[in-house]
Amino acid sequence: MSLPKRIVKETERLVADPAPGITASPHDDNMRYFDVTISGPGGSPFEGGVFKLELFLPEEYPMSPPKVRFLTKIYHPNIDKLGRICLDILKDKWSPALQIRTVLLSIQALLSSPNPDDPLAADVAKHYKEDLKGATQVSKDWTNKYAVETA
Amino acid sequence: MAKVPRNFRLLEELEKGEKGIGDGSCSYGLEDGDDIMMSNWNGTIIGPGHTVHENRIYSLKIVCGETYPDSPPSVAFKSRVNLPFVDQTNGTVDPTKLPVLANWTRNNSIETILVEIRREMATFNNRKLPQPPEGSFF
């Protein structure tokens, strides 16, 4: 199965020159399927956590966006219980000029700036709007519980 | 063609199932909305008309393993039903006796399994089989 040159190039760069706090490595048996980790950004309630994600480049990529979801549980208003992510560039704001790298950087940025006005997890968004301090604490607790490797 | 990995395939199936498929005679969804690996599913079949199954609602349990959709899920009836491919002690569907499972390909899905089982209910040999009381479970 031949892989489009664009995907080969993007993959090479991701591996050789990774963005800070982000790793992405393709599966040996499916070069369109990546294991991803994103470190929680400093100053966010996800700081100190390493979140696992999976990313898949569909047949139509780059005319269609990559598919991405979290595998690590996370308490965030724009990420649901199954790890699905509400982010415009993964949907109607996708452009073929974007790349895997830009998508992952945008997800990392989403961790720093939750947007409870465009929620995917309605209960988490409600919590964020009504009790920011309490909700942030739950996000921290979940980070410690699910996203911190214990030696 | 790009090979869609298990989890993204199951997410597609989930989204399709949530929207509702066809005429509503078959439906399915996750047993537990928190199940990040999306392994355990509930299925429902409404018995086909003009058969002994007419208007009966059958519940099934479908388990998608790590190798799904390269290998078929395991399927079992929760509702009691008398069909030649269903083990009468525990409701398990015998994959060797149901063509959609025996001749499994990646193009099949939870939906195609339910639709095929419903079609089996209406075949000449199965449509008049005596059935256990409605609403009983294995």
Side-chain angles (χ1 to χ4, degrees), chain A residues 1 29-30 32-33 54-60 67-73 81-84, chain B residues 1-9 11-12 14-15 18 30 32-38 70 106:
Chain A
M1 195 167 65
D29 60 349
N30 188 348
R32 289 173 173 271
Y33 186 29
E54 54 184 351
L55 179 146
F56 173 61
L57 304 172
E59 181 69 23
E60 301 77 23
K67 295 175 184 291
V68 199
R69 74 160 188 150
F70 277 80
L71 288 167
T72 306
K73 272 174 83 83
K81 288 178 184 176
L82 293 176
R84 292 179 286 192
Chain B
M1 274 297 280
K3 189 177 167 190
V4 181
R6 174 191 186 275
N7 296 351
F8 289 101
R9 165 62 182 271
L11 282 176
E12 284 173 15
L14 179 67
E15 271 150 38
E18 281 170 345
L30 276 180
D32 169 6
D34 270 346
D35 178 9
I36 200 127
M37 291 317 292
M38 299 174 284
D70 291 320
R106 266 193 150 251

Side-chain angles (χ1 to χ4, degrees), chain A residues 31-90:
Chain A
M31 297 295 283
R32 289 173 173 271
Y33 186 29
F34 292 74
D35 289 324
V36 174
T37 65
I38 296 181
S39 304
S44 79
F46 310 103
E47 185 173 4
V50 176
F51 295 85
K52 291 193 175 89
L53 297 88
E54 54 184 351
L55 179 146
F56 173 61
L57 304 172
E59 181 69 23
E60 301 77 23
Y61 182 82
M63 298 319 290
S64 299
K67 295 175 184 291
V68 199
R69 74 160 188 150
F70 277 80
L71 288 167
T72 306
K73 272 174 83 83
I74 182 166
Y75 197 76
H76 187 292
N78 310 104
I79 302 164
D80 77 5
K81 288 178 184 176
L82 293 176
R84 292 179 286 192
I85 306 161
C86 180
L87 186 64
D88 54 3
I89 60 159
L90 291 176

Side-chain angles (χ1 to χ4, degrees), chain A residues 4-137:
Chain A
K5 203 165 221 167
R6 154 140 180 184
I7 296 180
V8 175
K9 285 275 171 204
E10 280 201 54
T11 305
E12 281 172 2
R13 204 176 145 227
L14 276 171
V15 174
D17 176 26
I22 294 176
T23 68
S25 52
H27 283 233
D28 290 335
D29 60 349
N30 188 348
M31 297 295 283
R32 289 173 173 271
Y33 186 29
F34 292 74
D35 289 324
V36 174
T37 65
I38 296 181
S39 304
S44 79
F46 310 103
E47 185 173 4
V50 176
F51 295 85
K52 291 193 175 89
L53 297 88
E54 54 184 351
L55 179 146
F56 173 61
L57 304 172
E59 181 69 23
E60 301 77 23
Y61 182 82
M63 298 319 290
S64 299
K67 295 175 184 291
V68 199
R69 74 160 188 150
F70 277 80
L71 288 167
T72 306
K73 272 174 83 83
I74 182 166
Y75 197 76
H76 187 292
N78 310 104
I79 302 164
D80 77 5
K81 288 178 184 176
L82 293 176
R84 292 179 286 192
I85 306 161
C86 180
L87 186 64
D88 54 3
I89 60 159
L90 291 176
K91 301 189 172 95
D92 52 321
K93 293 291 191 314
W94 170 253
S95 146
L98 298 169
Q99 298 188 9
I100 302 170
R101 172 186 297 265
T102 36
V103 164
L104 297 179
L105 286 167
S106 300
I107 294 170
Q108 196 181 37
L110 185 68
L111 297 185
S112 289
S113 48
N115 178 10
D117 292 320
D118 184 23
L120 191 60
D123 48 339
V124 180
K126 189 163 176 279
H127 194 188
Y128 256 82
K129 283 179 119 167
E130 290 174 355
D131 174 17
L132 181 61
K133 211 177 152 196
T136 305
Q137 188 58 48

Side-chain angles (χ1 to χ4, degrees), chain B residues 28-80:
Chain B
Y28 59 90
L30 276 180
E31 193 175 278
D32 169 6
D34 270 346
D35 178 9
I36 200 127
M37 291 317 292
M38 299 174 284
S39 300
N40 300 315
W41 296 70
N42 287 321
T44 304
I45 298 173
I46 299 179
H50 312 293
T51 72
V52 290
H53 307 284
E54 184 159 13
N55 292 330
R56 289 194 177 205
I57 298 173
Y58 293 106
S59 299
L60 296 91
K61 182 177 168 69
I62 299 125
V63 180
C64 298
E66 278 178 30
T67 54
Y68 182 85
D70 291 320
S71 35
S74 61
V75 183
F77 272 83
K78 294 198 275 192
S79 310
R80 276 196 176 278

